[in-house]
Amino acid sequence: MKTLCPSCQSSLVYEMTDGSQINLIDQLLSPAVLVSLGVSLCKTLKVHPAIGVVAGTTVAALIEVTQSHQALPMLVNKQYRCDDCSHVFTTFHSFT
């Protein structure tokens, strides 16, 4: 199904994509970074590194669970721009 501009009903629309989808905070709170941070912290505190692995993995899992509840399930938010009238609009697409 072709997306139409809600302002002028033109079919000359394109999806706007920019690099903002990759968030710096998401990169810093990735499981790999958290696990390595836990291991480094345990080595500094002279505690077994396996405890850091478990702690980092647990924190990463908790962050992942809390972030998954913020998104609407089965919906994708897409932003489009019309070539005819330059109107920018957002649509919701369902995977079902």
Side-chain angles (χ1 to χ4, degrees):
M1 182 175 157
K2 183 72 176 164
T3 304
L4 298 177
C5 174
S7 179
C8 68
Q9 302 303 319
S10 172
S11 63
L12 297 174
V13 296
Y14 61 93
E15 186 176 348
M16 293 177 53
T17 56
D18 57 5
S20 67
Q21 302 256 344
I22 301 172
N23 194 353
L24 180 61
I25 294 174
D26 291 337
Q27 290 175 356
L28 291 175
L29 296 178
S30 70
V33 171
L34 290 172
V35 168
S36 64
L37 180 66
V39 170
S40 297
L41 187 61
C42 284
K43 285 181 180 179
T44 302
L45 298 174
K46 305 223 188 275
V47 178
H48 197 279
I51 295 172
V53 171
V54 171
T57 304
T58 304
V59 170
L62 289 173
I63 290 172
E64 191 69 29
V65 166
T66 59
Q67 285 181 347
S68 67
H69 290 298
Q70 292 174 356
L72 292 174
M74 304 303 287
L75 292 177
V76 175
N77 186 3
K78 294 186 178 183
Q79 194 170 30
Y80 294 92
R81 182 182 175 106
C82 177
D83 269 345
D84 286 340
C85 68
S86 299
H87 180 69
V88 176
F89 59 97
T90 303
T91 61
F92 291 98
H93 293 287
S94 174
F95 289 121
T96 59

